[in-house]
Amino acid sequence: MADAFPGQALRDFAAAELAAAGDALARTGDDLHEGVHRARKSIRRTRAVLVLGDRLLGPGFELVDAQLRRLNDSLSPLRDAHALVETLQRLLDARVAAKTRDALLRALAEAVAARALETEQALVLDPGLRQRQALLRVLGAALVALDWTRLTPSSLRMAVADSDGRALRARKHVLRRGGEADWHRWRRRVRRAGQQRNALLAAGIALAQADAFDKRTAERLGNAQDLSLLIDHCGPDSPFSKRECEQLLRYARPALQRLRRRLEVAALD
């Protein structure tokens, strides 16, 4: 039944993700950081479903999608501050030299302080993130009102095949040029292709296997993003001292190079 009439199932999936995003933003205290992370994931999943329908959903599609993008972008500073803390914590769990561990510990303390400041500033402008929660409720109602009846199994399979193709083309660009923008584009497109396939499977729509991505590739791209984030935070506006940045970069740059090389080799297989 879901395969014959997929629109309702996808509508319910996307609406549930937006509701989950609102619940996540209602978290308080230390749970707020994880709440922001979960909210952004849910919003990205919703946008991935919307893109599957694209203009078949009617003229409201672009408005809802654009507002969700802006909302997610507004949460980026909070998420980036927390992501840096998480990255440093994960690196501390790995086997690293004593000097590197000392630098990571100092950097972690400074990152936690920077995260607290970022959170305080965000909550001053939007106490309890209630404005964002209210916007999510409005967008949830608008999303449900879109014309989901126009979606068909064939149109959705074509849409996800297009996303798989974008991920494959992004991979080819990385293998040809390997610039930072190319790596980030590949990661985003692999993530979206995976989100769309998961949504369709949840809606009961059978899909053919694709070589555009796999879980290991997605995980490695995420780990590479962690290292890129750490490197970016060792730039001119770094919260870390010059000495700490030097020690962190001595670890992060070769680690990123090794990880990307493994991804390149796997992509050539």
Side-chain angles (χ1 to χ4, degrees):
M1 183 66 68
D3 192 62
F5 304 100
Q8 182 176 350
L10 284 175
R11 179 199 66 193
D12 293 346
F13 178 93
E17 288 292 343
L18 282 193
D23 291 342
L25 290 185
R27 296 186 183 186
T28 59
D30 291 340
D31 289 339
L32 174 64
H33 306 300
E34 182 61 24
V36 169
H37 172 53
R38 290 183 178 275
R40 294 188 79 242
K41 287 177 66 174
S42 287
I43 292 170
R44 284 197 301 266
R45 289 170 183 159
T46 301
R47 292 190 65 214
V49 172
L50 286 170
V51 171
L52 282 173
D54 201 347
R55 289 170 178 78
L56 286 175
L57 293 172
F61 154 75
E62 291 182 338
L63 176 62
V64 174
D65 184 60
Q67 288 298 321
L68 285 173
R69 183 183 67 247
R70 293 191 188 98
L71 177 56
N72 232 17
D73 288 346
S74 77
L75 294 168
S76 291
L78 277 174
R79 173 54 192 155
D80 288 348
H82 183 51
L84 180 59
V85 171
E86 289 184 318
T87 296
L88 291 166
Q89 289 172 334
R90 279 193 291 270
L91 293 176
L92 280 165
D93 289 338
R95 297 178 62 180
V96 295
K99 286 185 178 180
T100 301
R101 179 168 294 275
D102 290 342
L104 287 170
L105 285 169
R106 290 192 298 272
L108 177 59
E110 292 167 358
V112 168
R115 182 183 66 181
L117 179 60
E118 186 67 48
T119 303
E120 180 182 353
Q121 292 173 341
L123 293 178
V124 166
L125 295 173
D126 184 7
L129 303 182
R130 287 190 289 273
Q131 292 181 24
R132 291 175 173 87
Q133 293 173 51
L135 179 57
L136 278 170
R137 289 192 292 271
V138 172
L139 292 174
L143 178 144
V144 170
L146 297 176
D147 194 358
W148 296 91
T149 60
R150 297 181 66 192
L151 305 189
T152 65
S154 61
S155 71
L156 291 168
R157 290 191 184 98
M158 289 175 61
V160 80
D162 183 61
S163 285
D164 288 344
R166 288 174 181 270
L168 285 170
R169 289 193 293 274
R171 184 177 72 181
K172 290 177 182 177
H173 283 306
V174 165
L175 295 175
R176 261 202 322 266
R177 302 181 304 209
E180 287 298 318
D182 298 312
W183 281 102
H184 291 317
R185 186 181 301 109
W186 185 22
R187 178 183 62 85
R188 290 193 303 270
R189 290 187 175 175
V190 164
R191 182 177 64 194
R192 172 158 286 185
Q195 290 168 339
Q196 290 176 334
R197 296 177 74 84
N198 288 338
L200 289 173
L201 290 172
I205 300 172
L207 295 168
Q209 293 296 319
D211 62 353
F213 67 96
D214 57 51
K215 288 185 178 180
R216 178 175 294 182
T217 295
E219 289 172 359
R220 285 178 172 173
L221 286 168
N223 292 336
Q225 176 63 18
D226 285 347
L227 291 167
S228 294
L229 178 70
L230 181 56
I231 291 169
D232 289 344
H233 277 81
C234 290
D237 299 324
S238 176
F240 312 134
S241 70
K242 181 179 179 181
R243 179 167 172 262
E244 287 166 356
C245 283
E246 289 172 351
Q247 291 174 319
L248 292 170
L249 289 173
R250 276 199 296 271
Y251 169 80
R253 281 173 173 162
L256 178 61
Q257 186 176 28
R258 289 193 299 271
L259 184 53
R260 285 181 171 176
R261 182 55 187 157
R262 285 199 292 271
L263 281 160
E264 289 171 342
V265 170
L268 290 170
D269 289 344

